[in-house]
Amino acid sequence: MRRARVIVIMCALLCALPRALYPGEADLRKQINALYREGNSAALDDAVASFVNKFPRSEFAPEARMLAAALANAPNEALARYRQVRDDYPSYPRRSVAALRACEILYLSARWDELIEDARMGIALSPTDARSLRMKLLLARGLIQRERFDEARAVMNDVTANHHDYDGLAEALLLSSYIERRTTGYSRAYLVILKELVTGFPDSSSAAPGLYLLGRYYEKRGDYDRASSAMQDVVKRYPSSPEAGYARERIESYAPHDPKRVDYLPDESQVKSADVLDINPETRYPSRGDGGRLFAVALGPIYDKKDAGEIAALIKGEFSPVETVKVGGRYMIYVGRLDDMDAAIAVKTRLAEEYALNGGVVRIKKSGNKQYIYGE
């Protein structure tokens, strides 16, 4: 009995020892690591392919594929490699990293349906760790883009219940505000979320857009004192943020209302007085046939017709008209027909804040059957 126990212990110790490398494996591993440090993607691809072919069962095989993915020259190549690591190496410790990298590529490529599917797969690998948090936030962004707001709201509830990362929770609140704004308008729930974001997470990367959106909430209500005060604090507290530039433009537009500096954080009475639902159209675009000067926001150039079509479809529900024009092999999208520059700047800001679409204001002048666009 005692001898049998010793044999079992010895077997366990042997199994715990690092596996011996195959002949030639160590040298090829060194070569792969050196090529990665040099940034030599072409030679690295060849070396990784050779390694995986010779040593398919090596513990280094998925790591080699990860290195090749990191230096891939095209997003689709990197995506395919990260997906391969995620799918083919179930015991690889950094499998969830590969899943997250795939989701990030899909997000930057605006491939929303694939992002939703890949994020759900990645989250299943490690439901509660930091990488899972990032994938949940990306999943919510994909669902928002596809207007699947109930699903996105459920994902954000999951984040707040199961994660405690400061910046992650702040981003979840920001995304929740977008969901409420799209489903209930400038409502009580929307105001409560913005208040929680601004007061509870002032040092997060989501604080500047949250405070900016709070200012816009007051602007929508015609409360220019609070709107101006909030925008002034965007500039003061977050001077290097993109929102600071937008806030300066809004402050200038409030000048005719002679706003006073006031406390803008909503108190209990303001919250209670806010509408439960506020789903009236935000902006009405005048349709003038007098040939006068109008303004629009130009998005582009976009070099793929499909991409242009997807962007136009994404925003046309809230902005009208949305016109796509082909110019010299590229596409431009013109959003709105507005009477003045301030209204156009407001649309430009909303496109940047709510859809991450950066455009420029252009002037449109009609003459007979022709339309002239200036300022691209």
Side-chain angles (χ1 to χ4, degrees):
M1 177 72 71
R2 190 171 187 180
R3 184 181 178 188
R5 182 180 297 176
V6 170
I7 292 173
V8 170
I9 293 172
M10 290 299 295
C11 288
L13 289 172
L14 288 171
C15 291
L17 291 174
R19 181 193 56 76
L21 299 181
Y22 297 105
E25 181 181 354
D27 290 339
L28 195 48
R29 286 178 64 164
K30 290 179 181 178
Q31 180 187 358
I32 287 172
N33 284 319
L35 290 171
Y36 174 76
R37 288 193 296 269
E38 295 170 7
N40 190 338
S41 60
L44 177 62
D45 287 345
D46 293 338
V48 170
S50 176
F51 184 93
V52 173
N53 183 56
K54 291 179 180 178
F55 313 111
R57 297 172 62 84
S58 169
E59 294 177 355
F60 185 68
E63 186 64 27
R65 292 189 186 278
M66 288 284 284
L67 296 177
L71 289 189
N73 291 320
N76 282 340
E77 291 179 14
L79 176 62
R81 291 169 182 174
Y82 285 128
R83 281 172 165 171
Q84 187 172 31
V85 172
R86 179 198 65 193
D87 297 339
D88 294 353
Y89 299 94
S91 61
Y92 178 50
R94 299 181 67 231
R95 188 182 176 203
S96 61
V97 176
L100 175 58
R101 296 291 177 266
C103 291
E104 290 170 342
I105 292 170
L106 292 170
Y107 173 71
L108 293 173
S109 304
R111 293 159 65 173
W112 309 121
D113 295 326
E114 292 179 77
L115 171 60
I116 292 168
E117 182 178 354
D118 277 49
R120 292 197 189 281
M121 293 174 63
I123 291 166
L125 301 179
S126 51
T128 58
D129 70 4
R131 289 182 286 272
S132 175
L133 169 60
R134 296 309 311 164
M135 284 186 277
K136 287 175 184 178
L137 295 170
L138 290 171
L139 170 59
R141 290 180 179 274
L143 291 167
I144 289 170
Q145 294 291 347
R146 284 294 181 242
E147 299 188 346
R148 294 161 61 175
F149 299 119
D150 288 341
E151 293 174 70
R153 185 181 284 110
V155 174
M156 292 301 91
N157 290 339
D158 179 4
V159 169
T160 56
N162 296 300
H163 297 274
H164 306 287
D165 178 79
Y166 181 84
D167 280 304
L169 289 173
E171 185 176 343
L173 281 173
L174 183 62
L175 292 174
S176 295
S177 76
Y178 292 156
I179 294 167
E180 288 302 328
R181 229 278 302 139
R182 297 291 300 278
T183 55
T184 63
Y186 287 88
S187 64
R188 183 182 302 166
Y190 179 66
L191 179 61
V192 168
I193 292 172
L194 292 180
K195 178 182 178 181
E196 184 177 355
L197 174 56
V198 169
T199 59
F201 300 87
D203 298 322
S204 71
S205 57
S206 300
L211 184 53
Y212 176 84
L213 291 173
L214 181 60
R216 293 283 288 169
Y217 172 89
Y218 289 125
E219 179 183 330
K220 168 70 176 177
R221 296 299 184 198
D223 188 342
Y224 295 104
D225 289 345
R226 287 190 173 91
S228 178
S229 299
M231 294 299 182
Q232 288 177 47
D233 273 3
V234 172
V235 176
K236 180 181 178 181
R237 295 180 185 176
Y238 314 105
S240 61
S241 69
E243 290 76 19
Y246 303 141
R248 292 186 184 94
E249 295 175 350
R250 302 315 306 150
I251 291 169
E252 291 180 7
S253 74
Y254 304 149
H257 302 281
D258 191 24
K260 307 295 187 297
R261 179 72 180 182
V262 297
D263 182 5
Y264 55 81
L265 289 177
D267 56 27
E268 187 175 349
S269 63
Q270 285 177 277
V271 172
K272 287 183 177 180
S273 65
D275 295 326
V276 175
L277 287 174
D278 177 30
I279 54 176
N280 294 320
E282 285 188 24
T283 309
R284 291 181 174 82
Y285 298 101
S287 177
R288 303 190 324 183
D290 60 3
R293 187 177 67 170
L294 297 174
F295 295 87
V297 178
L299 303 174
I302 303 163
Y303 295 93
D304 185 274
K305 182 178 181 180
K306 181 181 177 182
D307 290 343
E310 289 180 352
I311 292 172
L314 175 67
I315 62 178
K316 69 180 181 181
E318 284 198 68
F319 302 88
S320 177
V322 175
E323 183 179 9
T324 303
V325 178
K326 185 176 182 180
V327 182
R330 59 193 174 95
Y331 296 87
M332 297 294 298
I333 299 174
Y334 297 100
V335 183
R337 294 293 184 271
L338 301 129
D339 280 325
D340 58 72
M341 178 70 79
D342 285 343
I345 290 174
V347 171
K348 174 181 179 291
T349 301
R350 284 188 55 212
L351 287 167
E353 280 290 326
E354 300 178 29
Y355 293 93
L357 296 172
N358 294 316
V361 175
V362 297
R363 292 187 296 115
I364 298 175
K365 182 174 177 59
K366 292 183 178 180
S367 178
N369 294 325
K370 295 184 178 182
Q371 182 171 269
Y372 300 91
I373 299 174
Y374 305 88
E376 290 185 58

